[in-house]
Amino acid sequence: MEEDTGALPGKENFSEWYNEILWRAEIMDVRYPVKGLYVWHPHGFGIRKRAYAILRDLMDRDHTETMFPLLIPKTEFMKEAEHIKGFEDEVYWVTHGGRNELDVPLALRPTSETAIYPMYALWIRSHTDLPLKLYQIVNTFRYETKHTRPLIRLREITSFKEAHTVHATREEAAAQVEIALDLYLEFYENLRVPVIVSRRPAWDKFPGADYTIAVDTIMPDGKTLQIGTVHMLGDHFSRTYEITYEDANGERQYACQTCYGISERSIAAVISIHGDDKGLVLPPGVAPVEVVIVPIIVGKRRDEVLAAATALEEELRCAGFITRLDSRDMRPGAKYYHWEMRGVPLRIEVGPRDIDANTVVAVTRTGRKTTLDRRGVVEGITSILGEFGDEIWKTARDAMADKIVMADTLDATAAAVKSGVAVVHWCGSQECAEKIEAAVDASVIGSEIRSDLIAVSDGPCIACGEKGTSALVARTY
Ligand code: P5A
């Protein structure tokens, strides 16, 4: 691929910055000729691969991975009324096999409840079969009519992690909602992406759910991005699909269910939250290259420098770092630019002077420079990468805190949502939410807020003055 050496647009022009970084840092190619479908570049996929390895590990603690078919018969898809209403405008239908029209049209899954639950009805017989906790990581298709955007609003979601659990009681299902939220918080802490958890208003819950708890982050332009949702399904689907079990007394009961999902929006969040004007900034845990070694080759000591760099690469690989030696015949400055754009957390420079002094120079992606003793290089890098992860976590949390504004009036809310998220008092009624939304040109996205960056309280609703409690108002992706 040809090397581009132009500067990125400043991150204050976030939308432009985002579009440019996707190709300059080789994350996605947006030229695929179907709207809403994009192609992963290997570097972007490397980030996805590591992030999803973390997600898989978290899920595997307490769930089992599986894989269901992509195609769902219309007869199954159309069974749950609310679910149909929520998704019918977003479904792609397969109607033909070759030149033959199919007897039963097949939906490309927009999500897999209606593929999985008929099978759960066959599998679950007794209370001893419960709880059942399965997940899959698959592609799903949604004919989105809002503006599509790479990694953020896709028509083919390539990395849809969906979990579907079944429980004997509502209490157990409610407890599972909390377990899922904890898993998602841990996942995002690994990605160094700060989040806010809140309960979606009833009209904004998942189609077919009792209630939805969402995980949002705040993007650099102040809009929120929903990067995960956990749904309490109650017995809506179990009644539709006859998911029943025999309890200890021999009586048939409807099961209670939850489901929860994360998509490649998680990768969009990593890119957007940490990146800067020089390119990506990747947390060490998800960087496809953690350490890049750049030999500083001058004159006659070329072979000696390359041998020292190769030995260092070998040592770092053995120590478990994902390491790349960049021995291309290019100026060091061009290499620095290349790897900074791609977000590599740490660059190690090895030149003749370092060989003489038995040192190497380590420079983090955020520009912190340290001279390390060559003998203690593994320990040195381990601690620098640890500190680097903490540094970007703090930067991200501070940036999020700066974008959260307490607002007491509609005017203050309207001002706050121009560049961030407003925390207001709201009585919980749809009528007041509509008033607020019309007045401030943003949405009431959630209440029952959980975030250590937000102090929640009771107070008069900013629309009607009646008793209210803290709620989030934001422009959303
Ligand atoms: C939970 C998993 C569901 O589909 N069924 C199985 C439930 N929930 S959801 O809220 O509709 O989607 C889960 C998360 O997926 C992301 N997401 C998307 N990402 C990219 N492009 C899209 N078109 C898209 N739609 C949803 C969101 O992060 C959402 O929270």
Short mmCIF file of all heavy atoms in Angstrom, two decimals, residues 101-157:
data_model
loop_
_atom_site.label_atom_id
_atom_site.label_comp_id
_atom_site.label_asym_id
_atom_site.label_seq_id
_atom_site.Cartn_x
_atom_site.Cartn_y
_atom_site.Cartn_z
N GLU A 101 -38.59 -19.54 -6.56
CA GLU A 101 -39.03 -18.76 -5.42
C GLU A 101 -39.16 -19.72 -4.23
O GLU A 101 -39.68 -20.83 -4.36
CB GLU A 101 -40.37 -18.11 -5.73
CG GLU A 101 -40.73 -17.08 -4.71
CD GLU A 101 -41.91 -16.23 -5.11
OE1 GLU A 101 -42.20 -16.12 -6.32
OE2 GLU A 101 -42.56 -15.69 -4.20
N LEU A 102 -38.67 -19.30 -3.07
CA LEU A 102 -38.72 -20.16 -1.88
C LEU A 102 -40.15 -20.23 -1.34
O LEU A 102 -40.86 -19.22 -1.37
CB LEU A 102 -37.79 -19.62 -0.79
CG LEU A 102 -36.30 -19.51 -1.15
CD1 LEU A 102 -35.52 -18.89 0.01
CD2 LEU A 102 -35.72 -20.88 -1.51
N ASP A 103 -40.53 -21.37 -0.82
CA ASP A 103 -41.87 -21.50 -0.20
C ASP A 103 -41.96 -20.58 1.01
O ASP A 103 -42.96 -19.93 1.22
CB ASP A 103 -42.11 -22.94 0.27
CG ASP A 103 -42.23 -23.88 -0.91
OD1 ASP A 103 -42.52 -23.37 -2.02
OD2 ASP A 103 -42.00 -25.09 -0.73
N VAL A 104 -40.92 -20.61 1.81
CA VAL A 104 -40.88 -19.75 3.00
C VAL A 104 -39.69 -18.80 2.84
O VAL A 104 -38.55 -19.26 2.82
CB VAL A 104 -40.71 -20.58 4.28
CG1 VAL A 104 -40.64 -19.67 5.51
CG2 VAL A 104 -41.81 -21.60 4.42
N PRO A 105 -39.93 -17.50 2.71
CA PRO A 105 -38.79 -16.57 2.62
C PRO A 105 -37.91 -16.69 3.86
O PRO A 105 -38.39 -17.04 4.95
CB PRO A 105 -39.46 -15.19 2.56
CG PRO A 105 -40.86 -15.45 2.14
CD PRO A 105 -41.21 -16.81 2.65
N LEU A 106 -36.63 -16.37 3.69
CA LEU A 106 -35.67 -16.49 4.79
C LEU A 106 -35.08 -15.12 5.10
O LEU A 106 -34.66 -14.40 4.20
CB LEU A 106 -34.54 -17.45 4.38
CG LEU A 106 -35.00 -18.88 4.02
CD1 LEU A 106 -33.86 -19.66 3.36
CD2 LEU A 106 -35.49 -19.61 5.27
N ALA A 107 -35.10 -14.78 6.39
CA ALA A 107 -34.52 -13.49 6.81
C ALA A 107 -33.03 -13.67 7.04
O ALA A 107 -32.60 -14.70 7.59
CB ALA A 107 -35.18 -13.04 8.10
N LEU A 108 -32.22 -12.67 6.64
CA LEU A 108 -30.83 -12.62 7.10
C LEU A 108 -30.93 -12.08 8.52
O LEU A 108 -31.46 -10.99 8.73
CB LEU A 108 -30.00 -11.66 6.26
CG LEU A 108 -29.73 -11.99 4.80
CD1 LEU A 108 -28.75 -10.96 4.22
CD2 LEU A 108 -29.14 -13.38 4.67
N ARG A 109 -30.40 -12.81 9.50
CA ARG A 109 -30.60 -12.42 10.90
C ARG A 109 -30.19 -10.95 11.15
O ARG A 109 -29.06 -10.57 10.84
CB ARG A 109 -29.78 -13.32 11.84
CG ARG A 109 -28.30 -13.26 11.51
CD ARG A 109 -27.43 -14.15 12.40
NE ARG A 109 -26.11 -14.25 11.80
CZ ARG A 109 -25.34 -15.34 11.78
NH1 ARG A 109 -25.74 -16.45 12.36
NH2 ARG A 109 -24.16 -15.31 11.19
N PRO A 110 -31.11 -10.15 11.72
CA PRO A 110 -30.71 -8.82 12.18
C PRO A 110 -30.18 -8.93 13.62
O PRO A 110 -29.51 -8.03 14.13
CB PRO A 110 -32.02 -8.02 12.16
CG PRO A 110 -33.11 -9.03 12.28
CD PRO A 110 -32.59 -10.34 11.78
N THR A 111 -30.46 -10.04 14.25
CA THR A 111 -30.09 -10.46 15.60
C THR A 111 -30.70 -11.85 15.68
O THR A 111 -31.51 -12.20 14.83
CB THR A 111 -30.64 -9.51 16.67
OG1 THR A 111 -30.44 -10.11 17.95
CG2 THR A 111 -32.14 -9.23 16.51
N SER A 112 -30.31 -12.67 16.68
CA SER A 112 -30.65 -14.09 16.51
C SER A 112 -31.70 -14.68 17.46
O SER A 112 -31.81 -15.91 17.55
CB SER A 112 -29.37 -14.92 16.59
OG SER A 112 -28.47 -14.48 15.61
N GLU A 113 -32.44 -13.84 18.15
CA GLU A 113 -33.47 -14.39 19.05
C GLU A 113 -34.34 -15.43 18.35
O GLU A 113 -34.58 -16.52 18.86
CB GLU A 113 -34.39 -13.26 19.58
CG GLU A 113 -33.79 -12.38 20.65
CD GLU A 113 -32.74 -11.42 20.09
OE1 GLU A 113 -32.59 -11.32 18.86
OE2 GLU A 113 -32.06 -10.78 20.91
N THR A 114 -34.82 -15.07 17.15
CA THR A 114 -35.80 -15.94 16.49
C THR A 114 -35.15 -17.14 15.81
O THR A 114 -35.85 -18.04 15.35
CB THR A 114 -36.64 -15.13 15.48
OG1 THR A 114 -35.76 -14.56 14.50
CG2 THR A 114 -37.40 -14.00 16.17
N ALA A 115 -33.81 -17.15 15.74
CA ALA A 115 -33.11 -18.36 15.28
C ALA A 115 -32.84 -19.28 16.46
O ALA A 115 -32.96 -20.51 16.36
CB ALA A 115 -31.78 -17.97 14.62
N ILE A 116 -32.49 -18.67 17.58
CA ILE A 116 -32.02 -19.46 18.73
C ILE A 116 -33.17 -20.01 19.58
O ILE A 116 -33.14 -21.16 20.02
CB ILE A 116 -31.07 -18.58 19.59
CG1 ILE A 116 -29.81 -18.23 18.77
CG2 ILE A 116 -30.70 -19.29 20.89
CD1 ILE A 116 -28.82 -17.30 19.49
N TYR A 117 -34.21 -19.20 19.79
CA TYR A 117 -35.20 -19.60 20.79
C TYR A 117 -36.05 -20.82 20.40
O TYR A 117 -36.39 -21.62 21.28
CB TYR A 117 -36.04 -18.39 21.22
CG TYR A 117 -35.18 -17.28 21.85
CD1 TYR A 117 -35.70 -16.01 22.09
CD2 TYR A 117 -33.85 -17.53 22.22
CE1 TYR A 117 -34.90 -15.00 22.66
CE2 TYR A 117 -33.06 -16.54 22.77
CZ TYR A 117 -33.59 -15.28 22.99
OH TYR A 117 -32.81 -14.30 23.54
N PRO A 118 -36.37 -21.01 19.11
CA PRO A 118 -37.06 -22.27 18.78
C PRO A 118 -36.22 -23.49 19.14
O PRO A 118 -36.76 -24.53 19.55
CB PRO A 118 -37.27 -22.18 17.27
CG PRO A 118 -37.24 -20.71 16.97
CD PRO A 118 -36.27 -20.12 17.94
N MET A 119 -34.90 -23.35 19.05
CA MET A 119 -34.02 -24.47 19.41
C MET A 119 -33.95 -24.62 20.93
O MET A 119 -33.94 -25.74 21.46
CB MET A 119 -32.62 -24.29 18.82
CG MET A 119 -32.58 -24.21 17.30
SD MET A 119 -33.41 -25.58 16.46
CE MET A 119 -32.39 -26.97 16.93
N TYR A 120 -33.92 -23.50 21.63
CA TYR A 120 -33.95 -23.56 23.10
C TYR A 120 -35.21 -24.31 23.58
O TYR A 120 -35.17 -25.07 24.55
CB TYR A 120 -33.95 -22.15 23.71
CG TYR A 120 -32.58 -21.50 23.85
CD1 TYR A 120 -31.43 -22.10 23.35
CD2 TYR A 120 -32.45 -20.27 24.52
CE1 TYR A 120 -30.18 -21.49 23.49
CE2 TYR A 120 -31.21 -19.66 24.67
CZ TYR A 120 -30.08 -20.27 24.16
OH TYR A 120 -28.86 -19.66 24.31
N ALA A 121 -36.32 -24.09 22.87
CA ALA A 121 -37.57 -24.78 23.25
C ALA A 121 -37.40 -26.30 23.16
O ALA A 121 -37.99 -27.04 23.95
CB ALA A 121 -38.72 -24.31 22.35
N LEU A 122 -36.59 -26.73 22.20
CA LEU A 122 -36.34 -28.17 22.06
C LEU A 122 -35.34 -28.68 23.10
O LEU A 122 -35.43 -29.81 23.57
CB LEU A 122 -35.79 -28.49 20.66
CG LEU A 122 -36.68 -28.13 19.47
CD1 LEU A 122 -35.94 -28.38 18.16
CD2 LEU A 122 -37.97 -28.95 19.51
N TRP A 123 -34.40 -27.84 23.46
CA TRP A 123 -33.31 -28.29 24.32
C TRP A 123 -33.67 -28.29 25.81
O TRP A 123 -33.13 -29.07 26.57
CB TRP A 123 -32.07 -27.39 24.13
CG TRP A 123 -31.45 -27.49 22.78
CD1 TRP A 123 -31.71 -28.44 21.82
CD2 TRP A 123 -30.46 -26.63 22.22
NE1 TRP A 123 -30.95 -28.21 20.70
CE2 TRP A 123 -30.18 -27.10 20.91
CE3 TRP A 123 -29.80 -25.50 22.66
CZ2 TRP A 123 -29.25 -26.49 20.07
CZ3 TRP A 123 -28.87 -24.89 21.84
CH2 TRP A 123 -28.59 -25.37 20.55
N ILE A 124 -34.51 -27.33 26.20
CA ILE A 124 -34.76 -27.17 27.63
C ILE A 124 -35.97 -27.99 28.05
O ILE A 124 -37.06 -27.84 27.49
CB ILE A 124 -34.95 -25.67 27.98
CG1 ILE A 124 -33.63 -24.93 27.72
CG2 ILE A 124 -35.41 -25.50 29.43
CD1 ILE A 124 -33.76 -23.44 27.68
N ARG A 125 -35.77 -28.86 29.00
CA ARG A 125 -36.84 -29.75 29.47
C ARG A 125 -37.09 -29.56 30.96
O ARG A 125 -38.21 -29.46 31.40
CB ARG A 125 -36.42 -31.22 29.24
CG ARG A 125 -36.42 -31.63 27.78
CD ARG A 125 -37.85 -32.06 27.36
NE ARG A 125 -38.09 -31.83 25.96
CZ ARG A 125 -38.71 -30.78 25.45
NH1 ARG A 125 -39.20 -29.85 26.25
NH2 ARG A 125 -38.91 -30.63 24.16
N SER A 126 -35.98 -29.52 31.71
CA SER A 126 -36.12 -29.58 33.16
C SER A 126 -35.37 -28.41 33.81
O SER A 126 -34.51 -27.80 33.16
CB SER A 126 -35.53 -30.92 33.62
OG SER A 126 -34.92 -30.79 34.87
N HIS A 127 -35.69 -28.13 35.05
CA HIS A 127 -34.97 -27.07 35.79
C HIS A 127 -33.48 -27.39 35.88
O HIS A 127 -32.66 -26.49 36.05
CB HIS A 127 -35.58 -26.85 37.18
CG HIS A 127 -35.52 -28.05 38.07
ND1 HIS A 127 -34.59 -28.20 39.07
CD2 HIS A 127 -36.26 -29.19 38.09
CE1 HIS A 127 -34.76 -29.36 39.67
NE2 HIS A 127 -35.77 -29.98 39.09
N THR A 128 -33.14 -28.66 35.71
CA THR A 128 -31.71 -29.02 35.76
C THR A 128 -30.97 -28.60 34.48
O THR A 128 -29.75 -28.63 34.44
CB THR A 128 -31.52 -30.54 35.99
OG1 THR A 128 -32.24 -31.22 34.95
CG2 THR A 128 -32.03 -30.97 37.35
N ASP A 129 -31.72 -28.22 33.45
CA ASP A 129 -31.08 -27.72 32.22
C ASP A 129 -30.73 -26.24 32.35
O ASP A 129 -30.13 -25.66 31.43
CB ASP A 129 -32.02 -27.90 31.01
CG ASP A 129 -32.31 -29.35 30.72
OD1 ASP A 129 -31.41 -30.18 30.95
OD2 ASP A 129 -33.44 -29.64 30.29
N LEU A 130 -31.16 -25.63 33.44
CA LEU A 130 -30.99 -24.17 33.59
C LEU A 130 -29.97 -23.85 34.69
O LEU A 130 -29.81 -24.65 35.60
CB LEU A 130 -32.35 -23.54 33.94
CG LEU A 130 -33.44 -23.80 32.91
CD1 LEU A 130 -34.76 -23.19 33.39
CD2 LEU A 130 -33.06 -23.20 31.55
N PRO A 131 -29.32 -22.70 34.67
CA PRO A 131 -29.40 -21.71 33.59
C PRO A 131 -28.64 -22.17 32.35
O PRO A 131 -27.72 -22.98 32.44
CB PRO A 131 -28.71 -20.48 34.20
CG PRO A 131 -27.72 -21.05 35.17
CD PRO A 131 -28.37 -22.30 35.72
N LEU A 132 -29.06 -21.66 31.21
CA LEU A 132 -28.37 -21.91 29.95
C LEU A 132 -27.80 -20.57 29.47
O LEU A 132 -28.54 -19.58 29.39
CB LEU A 132 -29.37 -22.47 28.94
CG LEU A 132 -28.82 -22.78 27.54
CD1 LEU A 132 -27.75 -23.87 27.58
CD2 LEU A 132 -29.96 -23.20 26.60
N LYS A 133 -26.51 -20.53 29.21
CA LYS A 133 -25.88 -19.26 28.82
C LYS A 133 -24.98 -19.49 27.61
O LYS A 133 -23.87 -20.00 27.75
CB LYS A 133 -25.03 -18.70 29.96
CG LYS A 133 -25.79 -18.49 31.26
CD LYS A 133 -24.89 -17.89 32.32
CE LYS A 133 -25.57 -17.91 33.68
NZ LYS A 133 -24.75 -17.20 34.69
N LEU A 134 -25.49 -19.13 26.44
CA LEU A 134 -24.72 -19.32 25.21
C LEU A 134 -24.43 -17.96 24.56
O LEU A 134 -25.17 -17.00 24.78
CB LEU A 134 -25.49 -20.19 24.21
CG LEU A 134 -25.91 -21.58 24.69
CD1 LEU A 134 -26.55 -22.34 23.52
CD2 LEU A 134 -24.75 -22.37 25.25
N TYR A 135 -23.36 -17.94 23.79
CA TYR A 135 -23.11 -16.72 23.01
C TYR A 135 -22.50 -17.10 21.68
O TYR A 135 -21.99 -18.22 21.51
CB TYR A 135 -22.19 -15.76 23.76
CG TYR A 135 -20.71 -16.10 23.72
CD1 TYR A 135 -19.86 -15.51 22.78
CD2 TYR A 135 -20.15 -17.02 24.60
CE1 TYR A 135 -18.50 -15.82 22.74
CE2 TYR A 135 -18.80 -17.34 24.56
CZ TYR A 135 -17.98 -16.74 23.63
OH TYR A 135 -16.65 -17.05 23.58
N GLN A 136 -22.60 -16.19 20.73
CA GLN A 136 -21.93 -16.38 19.44
C GLN A 136 -21.40 -15.04 18.95
O GLN A 136 -21.88 -13.98 19.34
CB GLN A 136 -22.88 -17.02 18.41
CG GLN A 136 -24.12 -16.20 18.09
CD GLN A 136 -25.00 -16.88 17.02
OE1 GLN A 136 -24.72 -18.00 16.58
NE2 GLN A 136 -26.05 -16.20 16.60
N ILE A 137 -20.36 -15.12 18.11
CA ILE A 137 -19.80 -13.92 17.48
C ILE A 137 -19.99 -14.12 15.99
O ILE A 137 -19.35 -15.00 15.39
CB ILE A 137 -18.33 -13.71 17.86
CG1 ILE A 137 -18.20 -13.55 19.38
CG2 ILE A 137 -17.78 -12.47 17.12
CD1 ILE A 137 -16.77 -13.43 19.89
N VAL A 138 -20.89 -13.36 15.40
CA VAL A 138 -21.30 -13.61 14.01
C VAL A 138 -21.54 -12.29 13.28
O VAL A 138 -21.48 -11.22 13.88
CB VAL A 138 -22.62 -14.44 14.00
CG1 VAL A 138 -22.41 -15.82 14.60
CG2 VAL A 138 -23.74 -13.69 14.72
N ASN A 139 -21.82 -12.41 12.00
CA ASN A 139 -22.28 -11.22 11.28
C ASN A 139 -23.80 -11.17 11.28
O ASN A 139 -24.47 -12.21 11.24
CB ASN A 139 -21.72 -11.18 9.86
CG ASN A 139 -22.05 -12.43 9.07
OD1 ASN A 139 -22.53 -13.42 9.62
ND2 ASN A 139 -21.79 -12.39 7.79
N THR A 140 -24.34 -9.98 11.36
CA THR A 140 -25.79 -9.79 11.30
C THR A 140 -26.06 -8.66 10.30
O THR A 140 -25.15 -7.87 10.01
CB THR A 140 -26.40 -9.42 12.67
OG1 THR A 140 -25.74 -8.25 13.15
CG2 THR A 140 -26.24 -10.53 13.68
N PHE A 141 -27.28 -8.63 9.82
CA PHE A 141 -27.61 -7.66 8.76
C PHE A 141 -28.79 -6.79 9.19
O PHE A 141 -29.80 -7.31 9.64
CB PHE A 141 -27.95 -8.40 7.47
CG PHE A 141 -26.77 -9.13 6.90
CD1 PHE A 141 -26.41 -10.38 7.39
CD2 PHE A 141 -25.98 -8.56 5.92
CE1 PHE A 141 -25.30 -11.05 6.90
CE2 PHE A 141 -24.86 -9.22 5.41
CZ PHE A 141 -24.53 -10.46 5.91
N ARG A 142 -28.61 -5.50 9.06
CA ARG A 142 -29.72 -4.58 9.36
C ARG A 142 -29.79 -3.54 8.26
O ARG A 142 -28.79 -2.84 8.01
CB ARG A 142 -29.52 -3.89 10.73
CG ARG A 142 -29.54 -4.88 11.87
CD ARG A 142 -29.46 -4.24 13.25
NE ARG A 142 -29.48 -5.29 14.25
CZ ARG A 142 -29.51 -5.09 15.57
NH1 ARG A 142 -29.52 -3.86 16.05
NH2 ARG A 142 -29.54 -6.12 16.40
N TYR A 143 -30.96 -3.45 7.65
CA TYR A 143 -31.12 -2.47 6.59
C TYR A 143 -31.37 -1.12 7.27
O TYR A 143 -32.50 -0.67 7.40
CB TYR A 143 -32.28 -2.90 5.68
CG TYR A 143 -32.51 -1.99 4.52
CD1 TYR A 143 -31.64 -1.98 3.44
CD2 TYR A 143 -33.61 -1.13 4.50
CE1 TYR A 143 -31.85 -1.12 2.37
CE2 TYR A 143 -33.83 -0.27 3.43
CZ TYR A 143 -32.94 -0.28 2.38
OH TYR A 143 -33.15 0.58 1.33
N GLU A 144 -30.28 -0.52 7.74
CA GLU A 144 -30.36 0.75 8.48
C GLU A 144 -30.73 1.86 7.51
O GLU A 144 -30.15 1.96 6.42
CB GLU A 144 -29.00 1.07 9.12
CG GLU A 144 -28.56 0.09 10.20
CD GLU A 144 -29.15 0.41 11.55
OE1 GLU A 144 -29.95 1.37 11.67
OE2 GLU A 144 -28.84 -0.33 12.51
N THR A 145 -31.66 2.69 7.92
CA THR A 145 -32.04 3.81 7.03
C THR A 145 -31.38 5.11 7.47
O THR A 145 -31.25 6.03 6.67
CB THR A 145 -33.57 3.98 6.99
OG1 THR A 145 -34.06 3.91 8.31
CG2 THR A 145 -34.20 2.88 6.16
N LYS A 146 -30.93 5.17 8.75
CA LYS A 146 -30.16 6.35 9.17
C LYS A 146 -28.80 6.30 8.47
O LYS A 146 -28.37 5.24 8.02
CB LYS A 146 -29.90 6.28 10.68
CG LYS A 146 -31.00 6.83 11.56
CD LYS A 146 -30.36 7.19 12.89
CE LYS A 146 -31.26 7.33 14.05
NZ LYS A 146 -30.50 7.39 15.32
N HIS A 147 -28.11 7.45 8.45
CA HIS A 147 -26.80 7.57 7.82
C HIS A 147 -25.85 6.44 8.27
O HIS A 147 -25.56 6.31 9.45
CB HIS A 147 -26.24 8.95 8.22
CG HIS A 147 -24.92 9.25 7.61
ND1 HIS A 147 -24.76 9.36 6.25
CD2 HIS A 147 -23.72 9.47 8.15
CE1 HIS A 147 -23.50 9.63 5.99
NE2 HIS A 147 -22.84 9.70 7.13
N THR A 148 -25.37 5.64 7.31
CA THR A 148 -24.44 4.56 7.69
C THR A 148 -23.03 5.13 7.84
O THR A 148 -22.68 6.14 7.23
CB THR A 148 -24.42 3.43 6.64
OG1 THR A 148 -24.18 4.00 5.35
CG2 THR A 148 -25.74 2.68 6.61
N ARG A 149 -22.24 4.48 8.70
CA ARG A 149 -20.90 4.96 9.02
C ARG A 149 -20.03 3.76 9.40
O ARG A 149 -20.48 2.90 10.16
CB ARG A 149 -21.01 5.84 10.27
CG ARG A 149 -20.36 7.18 10.20
CD ARG A 149 -20.55 7.81 11.57
NE ARG A 149 -21.66 8.74 11.59
CZ ARG A 149 -21.55 10.02 11.27
NH1 ARG A 149 -20.40 10.52 10.93
NH2 ARG A 149 -22.59 10.81 11.33
N PRO A 150 -18.80 3.68 8.87
CA PRO A 150 -17.95 2.52 9.16
C PRO A 150 -17.80 2.27 10.66
O PRO A 150 -17.58 3.22 11.42
CB PRO A 150 -16.59 2.92 8.57
CG PRO A 150 -16.84 4.08 7.67
CD PRO A 150 -18.17 4.67 8.02
N LEU A 151 -17.95 1.02 11.06
CA LEU A 151 -17.83 0.54 12.44
C LEU A 151 -18.94 1.04 13.37
O LEU A 151 -19.11 0.54 14.46
CB LEU A 151 -16.48 0.92 13.09
CG LEU A 151 -15.21 0.46 12.42
CD1 LEU A 151 -13.98 1.05 13.12
CD2 LEU A 151 -15.10 -1.06 12.46
N ILE A 152 -19.69 2.05 12.95
CA ILE A 152 -20.65 2.68 13.85
C ILE A 152 -22.10 2.32 13.49
O ILE A 152 -22.86 1.87 14.35
CB ILE A 152 -20.44 4.21 13.87
CG1 ILE A 152 -19.12 4.53 14.57
CG2 ILE A 152 -21.62 4.91 14.55
CD1 ILE A 152 -18.77 5.99 14.63
N ARG A 153 -22.47 2.54 12.27
CA ARG A 153 -23.82 2.10 11.85
C ARG A 153 -23.67 1.35 10.54
O ARG A 153 -23.48 1.93 9.49
CB ARG A 153 -24.80 3.26 11.72
CG ARG A 153 -26.17 2.80 11.24
CD ARG A 153 -27.30 3.75 11.49
NE ARG A 153 -27.76 3.69 12.87
CZ ARG A 153 -27.48 4.59 13.80
NH1 ARG A 153 -26.77 5.63 13.51
NH2 ARG A 153 -27.93 4.45 15.03
N LEU A 154 -23.74 0.02 10.65
CA LEU A 154 -23.45 -0.85 9.51
C LEU A 154 -24.71 -1.54 9.05
O LEU A 154 -25.64 -1.75 9.83
CB LEU A 154 -22.46 -1.93 9.96
CG LEU A 154 -21.20 -1.39 10.62
CD1 LEU A 154 -20.52 -2.47 11.42
CD2 LEU A 154 -20.27 -0.87 9.55
N ARG A 155 -24.71 -1.91 7.80
CA ARG A 155 -25.78 -2.78 7.33
C ARG A 155 -25.35 -4.24 7.46
O ARG A 155 -26.20 -5.10 7.65
CB ARG A 155 -26.18 -2.41 5.92
CG ARG A 155 -26.99 -1.10 5.92
CD ARG A 155 -27.53 -0.77 4.55
NE ARG A 155 -28.47 0.34 4.62
CZ ARG A 155 -29.05 0.88 3.55
NH1 ARG A 155 -28.79 0.39 2.35
NH2 ARG A 155 -29.89 1.89 3.68
N GLU A 156 -24.08 -4.52 7.35
CA GLU A 156 -23.58 -5.82 7.80
C GLU A 156 -22.71 -5.57 9.03
O GLU A 156 -21.62 -4.99 8.92
CB GLU A 156 -22.74 -6.55 6.73
CG GLU A 156 -22.26 -7.90 7.27
CD GLU A 156 -21.36 -8.69 6.31
OE1 GLU A 156 -21.00 -8.17 5.25
OE2 GLU A 156 -21.03 -9.83 6.68
N ILE A 157 -23.19 -5.99 10.18
CA ILE A 157 -22.39 -5.92 11.40
C ILE A 157 -21.53 -7.18 11.36
O ILE A 157 -22.07 -8.29 11.37
CB ILE A 157 -23.28 -5.88 12.66
CG1 ILE A 157 -24.37 -4.81 12.53
CG2 ILE A 157 -22.45 -5.67 13.91
CD1 ILE A 157 -25.41 -4.82 13.66
#
